[in-house]
């Protein structure tokens, strides 16, 4: 599909169908300030390309970083200027939402996509028409969800349960974020992801254990999931907008991150189908 302008000015995105696999790609005219929890382009950095790459559920590269570099070079993408994520979920089923708060807005948010985005089919933009930033604050979130290995942080799991399962979250904003605010944004996005899974009543697998006798449905006694086992978050900022020192839920930026991530994860998780039905993990 042809590149489409994101709601954050200066960034375009596309869904690429390559002979080496599908992926979502974001390109920026200027380097984006990034914080990535995934190894490729991990930590703090500046990148002009972001990629959420779909891999086979059986993906097990001996050296994932070397394999990723080779993939990027074959796709003619600049390895050193790219921050990347991997998923076995179908990237065409990504959820997406953007919010814009105008510079003169006294507090209300102008919703950039009033309805959840449509599946990202080849040749289709996906989603409602977006309101472009007009000197205010803009946040756009994307999520892909593979619920093949749900997990709950703090819950003891057998070693056999520790295999990949991925919810990837990409947050774009035009704000200037301090290092602390970038880290805070990861926390807020993670909280929103867990809240979305709770809303959908997504529960961890029994892994052979029997639910407690409670008179409730068989899965009701199983703990609610907070994520899957190999989730990742990528925050990217153009730094063209207002300076933000905080990104918790008490702030406007934090509200916008939480809302967009929550809705994006909800939509992506609803589109997910089990591997035996769709081959996506």
């Amino acid at each position: 599909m042809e590149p489409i302008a994101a709601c954050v000015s200066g960034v375009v995105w596309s869904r690429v169908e390559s002979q080496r696999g599908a992926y979502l790609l974001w390109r920026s005219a200027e380097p984006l300030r990034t914080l990535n929890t995934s190894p490729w382009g991990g930590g703090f950095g500046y990148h002009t390309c972001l990629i959420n790459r779909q891999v086979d559920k059986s993906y097990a590269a001996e050296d994932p970083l070397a394999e990723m570099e080779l993939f990027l070079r074959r796709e003619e993408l600049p390895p050193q200027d790219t921050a990347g994520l991997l998923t076995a979920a179908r990237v065409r089923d990504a959820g997406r939402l953007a919010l814009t708060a105008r510079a003169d807005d006294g507090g209300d948010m102008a919703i950039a996509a009033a309805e959840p985005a449509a599946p990202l089919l080849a040749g289709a933009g996906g989603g409602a028409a977006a309101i472009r930033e007009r000197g205010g604050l803009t946040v756009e979130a994307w999520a892909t969800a593979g619920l093949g290995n749900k997990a709950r942080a703090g819950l003891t799991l057998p070693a056999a349960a520790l295999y990949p399962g991925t919810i990837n979250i990409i947050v774009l904003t035009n704000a200037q974020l301090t290092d602390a605010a970038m880290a805070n944004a990861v926390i807020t996005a993670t909280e929103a992801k867990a809240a979305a899974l709770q809303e959908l009543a997504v529960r961890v697998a029994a892994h052979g254990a029997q639910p407690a006798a409670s008179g409730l449905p068989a899965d009701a006694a199983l703990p609610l999931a907070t994520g899957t086992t190999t989730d990742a978050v990528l925050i990217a900022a153009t730094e063209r907008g207002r300076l933000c020192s905080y990104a918790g839920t008490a702030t406007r930026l934090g509200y916008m991150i939480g809302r967009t991530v929550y809705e994006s994860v909800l939509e992506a998780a609803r589109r997910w189908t089990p591997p035996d039905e769709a081959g996506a993990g």
Side-chain angles (χ1 to χ4, degrees):
M1 61 183 285
E2 292 297 319
I4 297 171
C7 293
V8 176
S9 295
V11 180
V12 297
W13 69 271
S14 58
R15 187 174 73 86
V16 180
E17 287 287 352
S18 162
Q19 64 180 4
R20 285 171 283 274
Y23 55 91
L24 298 179
L25 176 66
W26 296 261
R27 288 183 179 270
S28 175
E30 300 293 334
L32 300 165
R33 169 82 159 136
T34 57
L35 176 54
N36 185 11
T37 69
S38 191
W40 191 267
F44 289 99
Y46 282 91
H47 299 91
T48 56
C49 293
L50 313 176
I51 183 174
N52 189 9
R53 175 188 167 198
Q54 181 178 330
V55 297
D56 189 81
K57 186 172 175 60
S58 61
Y59 176 87
E62 184 175 339
D63 186 340
L65 293 180
E67 190 278 335
M68 185 66 160
E69 180 174 4
L70 179 61
F71 174 86
L72 293 173
R73 292 190 184 281
R74 287 177 171 174
E75 292 297 303
E76 299 183 348
L77 297 172
Q80 298 306 314
D81 293 328
T82 300
L85 309 174
L86 298 179
T87 181
R90 296 188 305 274
V91 295
R92 65 178 289 174
D93 290 339
R96 172 192 175 209
L97 185 71
L99 294 176
T100 294
R102 298 185 180 89
D104 59 353
D105 187 352
D108 292 336
M109 303 300 161
I111 299 177
E115 299 295 335
L120 304 183
L121 305 177
I131 299 173
R132 299 297 165 75
E133 61 189 85
R134 299 170 184 168
L137 182 61
T138 299
V139 174
E140 186 167 13
W142 303 69
T144 54
L147 303 181
N149 194 26
K150 302 172 287 291
R152 180 179 178 87
L155 182 69
T156 300
L157 292 173
L162 302 180
Y163 55 87
T166 306
I167 297 174
N168 283 344
I169 295 166
I170 299 92
V171 176
L172 300 176
T173 180
N174 65 335
Q176 301 178 55
L177 279 71
T178 63
D179 285 358
M182 293 283 274
N184 207 173
V186 172
I187 293 173
T188 300
T190 303
E191 291 175 349
K193 174 197 68 178
L197 296 179
Q198 186 176 45
E199 174 68 20
L200 295 173
V202 175
R203 297 180 182 274
V204 299
H207 296 296
Q210 295 299 316
S214 60
L216 297 173
D219 68 344
L222 297 175
L224 289 167
T226 57
T228 64
T229 48
T230 53
D231 295 350
V233 177
L234 172 55
I235 308 295
T238 66
E239 300 189 300
R240 296 177 178 177
R242 69 183 66 176
L243 175 64
C244 296
S245 299
Y246 305 94
T249 52
T251 66
R252 176 174 294 189
L253 176 61
Y255 165 80
M256 295 170 74
I257 291 172
R259 172 75 186 283
T260 56
V261 170
Y262 176 82
E263 296 292 348
S264 298
V265 172
L266 275 180
E267 191 63 21
R270 285 170 175 151
R271 291 176 183 155
W272 178 79
T273 50
D276 57 351
E277 296 180 25

